[in-house]
Amino acid sequence: MYYEESAVPVNAMKEEKLNKGFTIAAGIFLALSVIYLLYALLVVANILADEDLDTLGRVFNILFTLSFFFIGVLIAVLLLLYKRRYNVSFDYTFVEDELRISKVFNGKKRKFLKMLKADQMLKIGSCAKESFERTRAGMGKKQIYYMTPNDEPAEGKEFFYILSSTTMEKILVIIEARREILEYLVRAAGRSKYDPN
């Protein structure tokens, strides 16, 4: 059995523009920081050559001069980190008896997140049903993983939950997919694991 699907942001075009905007802004800050560094090195050379300043004065002036370079680089790094929040999607790949979930940044960089084996699945169902609320309430302080970029499912898709347990932990995973994925999960895990209510 093989099934593959992606959950992309409902407003993917807007998120892609935001991602590009943050990338461009980070590039501008980085370029300005490098240009400023070249200027700052000339200023530092003058500070070192100034005989009227004592050691403490020189150190203070050098640190003050270079601080603008470090602030620019820090802003660029923060923008690059922040852009990872936008244009994020999730890939679900069902192979044989396991569901592999990966996070995809800007359609390029992929990060593997979870592998759910069919024999470890305790309960499968739709998040629109009462069984989801009961299952979520029963989790207490245990981890719930929302593996979707959207607050509401995209057209033609639904939110499904998978309660899974390993020797290490018990987790509840929320995915956004077409109903076909449910058929694969139920077929692999067993009809008794599916809660239709």
Side-chain angles (χ1 to χ4, degrees):
M1 291 190 289
Y2 180 82
Y3 183 83
E4 189 174 28
E5 187 168 352
S6 295
V8 298
V10 175
N11 53 350
M13 298 274 283
K14 180 183 175 187
E15 295 221 356
E16 188 176 348
K17 286 178 183 174
L18 282 168
N19 189 291
K20 281 183 183 173
F22 281 115
T23 304
I24 291 167
I28 290 170
F29 270 100
L30 206 53
L32 290 174
S33 297
V34 169
I35 291 167
Y36 177 78
L37 180 63
L38 298 174
Y39 165 75
L41 291 175
L42 294 173
V43 174
V44 167
N46 288 336
I47 292 170
L48 292 172
D50 189 353
E51 296 176 4
D52 294 337
L53 287 172
D54 60 354
T55 305
L56 188 63
R58 284 185 180 143
V59 170
F60 176 78
N61 283 337
I62 290 170
L63 289 176
F64 181 76
T65 303
L66 293 177
S67 66
F68 293 105
F69 165 74
F70 292 116
I71 289 170
V73 170
L74 178 65
I75 291 171
V77 169
L78 290 175
L79 286 169
L80 289 173
L81 289 174
Y82 194 71
K83 82 169 189 155
R84 290 172 59 103
R85 295 179 176 212
Y86 295 98
N87 203 21
V88 173
S89 60
F90 290 84
D91 282 353
Y92 315 115
T93 307
F94 187 84
V95 181
E96 294 301 323
D97 66 341
E98 59 191 31
L99 179 66
R100 300 171 190 163
I101 304 172
S102 299
K103 195 173 191 177
V104 182
F105 300 94
N106 204 26
K108 297 172 188 167
K109 192 173 180 184
R110 175 184 296 270
K111 179 183 177 187
F112 175 77
L113 296 177
K114 288 270 177 218
M115 182 187 303
L116 304 175
K117 293 189 176 287
D119 60 353
Q120 296 172 341
M121 294 178 188
L122 304 174
K123 199 174 185 184
I124 304 163
S126 171
C127 291
K129 305 288 184 177
E130 286 180 22
S131 64
F132 171 65
E133 294 303 327
R134 289 193 304 269
T135 304
R136 185 167 62 175
M139 288 298 289
K141 293 183 178 179
K142 293 183 179 75
Q143 190 68 43
I144 299 175
Y145 295 95
Y146 291 89
M147 305 287 189
T148 172
N150 300 313
D151 295 328
E152 295 290 326
E155 189 177 337
K157 296 187 177 184
E158 295 179 50
F159 287 148
F160 298 105
Y161 70 88
I162 303 163
L163 180 64
S164 184
S165 178
T166 65
T167 53
M168 302 292 290
E169 62 181 347
K170 188 176 187 181
I171 59 170
L172 182 62
V173 176
I174 313 299
I175 61 172
E176 176 190 356
R178 291 180 179 82
R179 198 146 187 89
E180 286 87 348
I181 202 166
L182 190 60
E183 295 170 18
Y184 284 89
L185 292 170
V186 170
R187 199 181 309 163
R191 189 150 294 279
S192 61
K193 307 290 176 72
Y194 174 59
D195 192 339
N197 300 318

